[in-house]
Amino acid sequence: MPLPPLMLTVVDHPLLRRDLTILRDRTTPHGQFRRTVNDAAAILAYEALRDLPLVERSIETPLEETTGYYFQDEFVVVPVLRAGLGLVDGFVRFVPEARVGHVGMERDEATHEPRDYYAKIPPLDERTIVFVVDPMLATGGSADAAISFLKERGATRLRFVCLVAAPEGVRHLEARHPEIDIFAATLDRELDQNAYIRPGLGDAGDRIFGT
Ligand code: PRP
Ligand code: URA
């Protein structure tokens, strides 16, 4: 039976394609890699924030009264440690008022199962939109675990933002959290036998931090 179409937004912008090329290139040094991850995160944020509701409030310009627009909701950005940290500065460029929580997940190299090792998050309720950010959505295990953790702590409105998604990871998230919107810079071909995304960009955390 054919699989249903994937429910994710692949953000298409020439700047993002150029940035992704820099990130895929194995010769890119980690300083440039880190800066480029942040630039790409800002473009992804631009799209992930596009449909959010605004409320109107009257304001005074230096000359007269007019209508101002404000976001209705509170924003929390949650990077999945460690590699997700690389996306935070770029993501909050447009929403500096966002709070930042942290969830630590590490994939076991043999089983590819996520293990959580750290969490610190602000209070979450139905007025909060939580943007979970991680450069890679591979098997989907880490994203699934982070999202489940946040739901248990009160998050009801979540979006997942990544640079590179694998079809396997998208299917995993759709099966486990079908209400969540996923934003990615690219949907790559497949996972290899080590659960690395192909063509991908390698180990995102190691490349961001130069380890
Ligand atoms: C990477 C990446 C994701 C996870 C994706 O983190 O940043 O969190 O792998 O893989 P999955 O979809 O199969 O779970 P990693 O575990 O390598 O840890 P790191 O961020 O410390 O490098
Ligand atoms: N984690 C990474 O950093 N890269 C991959 O390709 C898969 C998981």
Side-chain angles (χ1 to χ4, degrees):
M1 196 172 60
L3 292 168
L6 297 173
M7 295 292 293
L8 92 158
T9 301
V10 176
V11 178
D12 189 20
H13 194 289
L15 290 173
L16 206 44
R17 285 199 196 185
R18 188 270 318 269
D19 287 349
L20 205 51
T21 305
I22 295 168
L23 297 175
R24 289 195 196 280
D25 187 339
R26 65 183 304 155
T27 68
T28 300
H30 66 265
Q32 188 187 8
F33 190 93
R34 187 159 57 217
R35 198 172 60 243
T36 306
V37 166
N38 265 312
D39 290 345
I43 299 168
L44 290 169
Y46 195 83
E47 285 302 319
L49 292 159
R50 181 183 284 282
D51 64 339
L52 296 183
L54 297 169
V55 288
E56 294 184 3
R57 211 178 301 148
S58 175
I59 58 163
E60 297 277 345
T61 77
L63 301 174
E64 64 177 53
E65 192 176 317
T66 189
T67 307
Y69 299 90
Y70 298 86
F71 281 118
Q72 182 180 292
D73 304 296
E74 305 263 322
F75 301 136
V76 172
V77 179
V78 179
V80 180
L81 305 183
R82 156 192 68 148
L85 284 175
L87 296 163
V88 173
D89 286 352
F91 198 92
V92 302
R93 209 173 285 169
F94 297 126
V95 281
E97 72 277 22
R99 294 176 198 272
V100 180
H102 296 87
V103 174
M105 294 283 164
E106 191 171 46
R107 274 195 342 175
D108 183 286
E109 285 188 8
T111 65
H112 311 134
E113 290 294 319
R115 178 185 70 82
D116 64 293
Y117 60 88
Y118 182 81
K120 195 81 145 185
I121 49 168
L124 303 173
D125 60 30
E126 62 289 343
R127 279 186 358 105
T128 317
I129 303 186
V130 181
F131 296 91
V132 181
V133 300
D134 190 326
M136 311 305 276
L137 178 62
T139 65
S142 304
D144 176 9
I147 289 166
S148 298
F149 175 88
L150 292 164
K151 283 182 172 177
E152 282 163 22
R153 277 148 192 84
T156 57
R157 301 158 73 200
L158 295 110
R159 294 180 172 199
F160 184 80
V161 178
C162 62
L163 291 170
V164 184
E168 293 87 339
V170 176
R171 299 260 180 236
H172 183 134
L173 275 197
E174 284 184 341
R176 295 268 303 142
H177 306 283
E179 78 288 3
I180 286 185
D181 290 320
I182 305 169
F183 296 85
T186 178
L187 177 65
D188 271 10
R189 190 179 67 244
E190 62 187 355
L191 293 183
D192 66 16
Q193 67 279 11
N194 296 316
Y196 269 80
I197 303 176
R198 298 297 185 108
L201 48 75
D203 188 308
D206 283 352
R207 295 196 66 195
I208 291 168
F209 296 108
T211 49

